Amino acid sequence: MKHVSFLLLVVTLLTACAPKGNEWKTDQFLIKISEKGYVTALSDPGSGKNYLSENQPAPLMQIRTGGTFMSPVSCKVDKSGGIITLAFDGNREAKIHIEAKPTHLILKLEEITGADSLDLIVWGPYPTSISEIIGETVGVVRDSVYAIGIQALNLKTLGGYPTEESDIEPSFDLFETNNLIDVADSIKVFYRGQTARKESYGSIIQAYCRNRNKERIISNWAHEYYVAPAFNDGGVIGSSIALFGCKAPEALKTIGEIEIAEGLPHPMIDGEWGKTARSATAAYLIMNFGVKEFEDALDLTKKAGLKYLYLEGPFETWGHFKLNAKQFPENWETMKLMVDRAAEEGIRLGVHTLSNFITTNDPYVTPVPDPRLARVGSSTLTQSIGKEDKTIGIADPKFFNQMKNNTLHSVLIGNELIRYKDVSATAPRVLTACERGAFGTIAAAHEAGADIGKLMDHGYQTFLTNNELSMEMSTRIAEFFNFTGCRQISFDGLEGNWSTGMGEYGRQRFTQNWYDQLKPDLKGQVITDASGPGHYFWHMFTRMNWGEPWYAGFRESQTQYRLLNQLYFQRNLIPAMLGWFRMTPETSIEDIEWLLARSAGFDAGYALVTSLAAVNRNGFSDKILYALQEWERARMAGAFPSEVKKQMQNIKKEFHLEMDGPNNWNLYPYTTWRAEYKPGAGLMTIEINNENPDQPIQFILSTGPGNSATLIRMDIDGGRKIFIPLDLPANHCIKYTGGSYIYLYDSSWQLVGTDQLKQYDVTLTQGKHKLDFEAVFTTTGPKPGIKIELKTAGLPHHL
């Protein structure tokens, strides 16, 4: 036994003293690198499990030169200096500084042979066996136990892979299997980016950095030929990433710690990190108003119980961001006074921008156009032209005859903007049917050989910016916020910065510069969202807020898209938002509570677009504003239990919230049946299974344009005939919610008439029933019929 014990001791000592090879360890993560420069382990040191996917190549770093990718052939490690030296074919060596910190591992390219001749470098891709939750934008993959992630540590290091030379992140139609929101498993999900990407064996995480020291002609934003100018940012040298692994529930917390440790943007909202702050998902009101309507807009916001009031379109010009003169007589000064006044009421103002879009009435365009307006490319004049010539000869047509994403058909020669109709198909190549001195510029004569630039534009009838002008415009937006004190912004149209020829890098530079230019005391107070995310931008924005109300009814406009976004937010660790909804005079309290139930179910904020006129015309405005206030107050208080939230994520279910004391509520679930009665249908039968307690059945009967009806009756189980004592004109509805009275409303919910109805006649017991419906149409419109909605209330959840 003594000999056995001695041998065990020797083995133990030898094992403890044995070199560990090329491995680095954080508190919850371990990485190993082989002598050939490949990752051989991405492990959880606690469990010892290696999450590196087997039989998949995992180069620590790749290089691309002349369009050809190269992986390392050998690796040397100087642990004392923290340097990994990778060797590549062609006598190239790359020195990477590596450092292990408690939460993450840092990799930074310090030098590489022939750096200026490289196209780019790629960090990874690093394959993992994790497949459950893929955060394609944030760059984190998770299962129920463990998470592995990558974070770009500077702007020029782009999350993802150089699939496109434009550096515009591709999107993938992948099948979403997490059927959280009652959509079919076969619904395709719009994936945003590929910093993390699902693979058949699990997933990959990846990043890259491009050398931009030379001008390139690329395919960009529907243009086959687009000039990407040279840009000096040090190239691939200095590209840096963080790798980390942690317990799955700690992924968000770990990213926050990396932000602080590495000096990444870490904006705070009300003293808390924006990604976890309660107000990050605050609902808000969107209106257009000026000095005359301002106090009424404030009062409306207070009645709705909201703290953010947002201006949808306050700017007369985009570029210099001059405010509408009628609404804001003293321009930015008027806005500042409004911000200060709103603050007295505990309300914060915000504005909507179109990022680097420039309207044609802005000083960047007229009367003297800025030479930094974005160009697709340039050529020269083949002959001199006078100021009235309508045909312009050009040496090279390739930038000018690309008609996709070419709305304004504009060129710049000197200080003159010119619009053209087309480019001749044969030599000599000329611009035809030219409009001289366009957009208020001055027509002038130009000499042969003069530079002519094809300007990039957008379908919104706007011009865009090159990189330098992008920085100036983002600074201008920051100056607006610094001066006025506005506290919310949406960088809509952020993809406009693809005009720089720098793809995602251009978008990130725009928002980073804005963030850097904010005053320190404001930097941690502005809620930021945008129409496009991006890996590095993830650190700056508070939330994304997709979903527009313009395309269908209140419940139908982009509904599937809004719901799929909730899955996107969850897998990318982003505060949840439902998008914009529009309140019109016709919006019902039922529609509003449908929205509010989804808001509570996903714990997601929303934006309600309306106007003072719409609110004043809606007969249920007071009830709607009260509902907005109480639902938001309950949601922000965390009153809804998780099991109830899951029910409210189902868009087919309806709920009603009532106060039950100062900080308590009763939430009533409804069972709803819907049908449509058509002319000539005779007696229509609706099958009902009432699982709720005995009660009068509630109903709404509504008509559309041109449809009116009389002699409306219902029959429950063939024994109780219920005659509706009101006629139903076109664009009206009859509503009964229990009690002795039934009401007739017009399309704006203004009360038109009332009559009595016996509760006993419409009481529905638990169980299955047949409800027969019949009416006589007196007129019929283009879509004839009566929409029928029936419902009963279940027992309340006490919150």
Side-chain angles (χ1 to χ4, degrees), residues 464-494:
L464 296 163
T465 58
N466 71 4
N467 177 63
E468 182 183 347
L469 189 53
S470 277
M471 296 302 97
E472 186 169 301
M473 274 187 66
S474 61
T475 297
R476 181 73 172 169
I477 297 173
E479 289 171 349
F480 173 85
F481 273 76
N482 289 337
F483 184 86
T484 64
C486 280
R487 297 279 291 277
Q488 185 179 346
I489 186 172
S490 176
F491 287 107
D492 196 4
L494 198 54

Side-chain angles (χ1 to χ4, degrees), residues 90-319:
N91 296 318
R92 288 184 187 268
E93 280 192 347
K95 294 188 180 298
I96 298 170
H97 182 261
I98 185 167
E99 180 182 0
K101 294 190 175 183
T103 52
H104 60 288
L105 190 76
I106 299 173
L107 295 169
K108 182 179 181 181
L109 180 61
E110 296 286 359
E111 59 181 271
I112 187 168
T113 310
D116 287 346
S117 66
L118 292 181
D119 300 334
L120 50 85
I121 66 165
V122 177
W123 296 101
Y126 307 119
T128 88
S129 59
I130 297 174
S131 61
E132 285 83 346
I133 304 174
I134 312 300
E136 69 271 35
T137 299
V138 71
V140 178
V141 297
R142 294 173 281 159
D143 59 20
S144 60
V145 177
Y146 199 66
I148 295 176
I150 187 171
Q151 295 290 291
L153 294 182
N154 49 39
L155 281 172
K156 67 182 181 180
T157 304
L158 303 180
Y161 192 82
T163 305
E164 303 291 339
E165 291 304 294
S166 62
D167 296 325
I168 295 174
E169 287 187 344
S171 54
F172 298 87
D173 282 337
L174 298 181
F175 287 101
E176 178 57 63
T177 58
N178 184 4
N179 192 17
L180 177 68
I181 52 176
D182 196 31
V183 295
D185 287 348
S186 61
I187 290 291
K188 289 186 176 181
V189 178
F190 183 64
Y191 275 56
R192 299 174 174 97
Q194 53 176 339
T195 307
R197 197 175 78 196
K198 191 176 182 68
E199 298 289 350
S200 59
Y201 50 80
S203 59
I204 55 174
I205 54 175
Q206 55 194 350
Y208 72 101
C209 181
R210 185 179 295 280
N211 193 350
R212 304 178 189 276
N213 60 345
K214 297 176 183 177
E215 179 178 289
R216 298 177 297 136
I217 295 181
I218 61 174
S219 174
N220 183 45
W221 212 2
H223 293 281
E224 184 178 356
Y225 302 103
Y226 197 102
V227 173
F231 182 67
N232 181 19
D233 61 359
V236 296
I237 302 300
S239 176
S240 183
I241 61 168
L243 292 174
F244 70 93
C246 63
K247 295 176 183 177
E250 296 178 12
L252 183 60
K253 174 177 174 286
T254 300
I255 295 175
E257 292 170 344
I258 292 172
E259 287 182 350
I260 294 171
E262 304 307 323
L264 298 176
H266 188 76
M268 311 290 282
I269 303 294
D270 296 329
E272 187 178 354
W273 183 32
K275 289 296 188 297
T276 58
R278 200 73 191 97
S279 53
T281 65
Y284 60 102
L285 201 63
I286 298 180
M287 295 176 61
N288 279 326
F289 55 84
V291 289
K292 293 181 180 178
E293 306 89 0
F294 177 57
E295 289 296 333
D296 289 335
L298 278 186
D299 185 57
L300 188 64
T301 309
K302 288 191 293 182
K303 286 181 178 179
L306 304 179
K307 294 182 179 180
Y308 287 86
L309 175 59
Y310 186 81
L311 283 139
E312 180 183 1
F315 296 109
E316 193 171 289
T317 75
W318 299 332

Side-chain angles (χ1 to χ4, degrees), residues 336-368:
K336 183 180 186 304
L337 293 173
M338 287 183 175
V339 168
D340 293 342
R341 171 71 186 97
E344 295 175 2
E345 302 293 338
I347 294 171
R348 300 165 181 180
L349 300 190
V351 294
H352 195 79
T353 71
L354 261 293
S355 301
N356 71 323
F357 288 37
I358 301 176
T359 50
T360 57
N361 61 340
D362 189 83
Y364 282 131
V365 176
T366 185
V368 179

Side-chain angles (χ1 to χ4, degrees), residues 527-544:
I527 285 183
T528 308
D529 66 40
S531 60
H535 174 66
Y536 192 90
F537 184 40
W538 185 97
H539 300 291
M540 279 174 275
F541 67 67
T542 311
R543 64 203 183 191
M544 296 287 104

Side-chain angles (χ1 to χ4, degrees), residues 671 673 685-694 697 715-720 763-772 792:
T671 302
W673 302 269
T685 300
I686 304 171
E687 302 282 347
I688 292 174
N689 183 14
N690 180 33
E691 297 178 349
N692 298 321
D694 298 359
I697 188 168
D715 190 327
I716 298 177
D717 296 329
R720 268 181 289 156
T763 294
L764 203 67
T765 58
Q766 279 188 330
K768 295 182 179 180
H769 300 273
K770 290 184 178 180
L771 187 145
D772 293 328
T792 60

Side-chain angles (χ1 to χ4, degrees), residues 175-190 192 555 558-571 576-578 594 597-604 644-653:
F175 287 101
E176 178 57 63
T177 58
N178 184 4
N179 192 17
L180 177 68
I181 52 176
D182 196 31
V183 295
D185 287 348
S186 61
I187 290 291
K188 289 186 176 181
V189 178
F190 183 64
R192 299 174 174 97
R555 305 189 192 196
Q558 295 193 331
T559 303
Q560 209 74 303
Y561 181 51
R562 298 176 194 270
L563 297 178
L564 290 172
N565 277 331
Q566 305 315 305
L567 293 173
Y568 169 77
F569 298 145
Q570 290 170 16
R571 64 180 179 260
M577 296 294 287
L578 287 172
W594 176 89
R598 262 30 78 187
S599 173
F602 289 105
D603 198 5
V644 176
K645 286 183 180 180
K646 289 179 181 178
Q647 296 177 35
M648 290 191 290
Q649 290 173 5
N650 187 336
I651 62 172
K652 297 177 182 178
K653 293 188 176 182

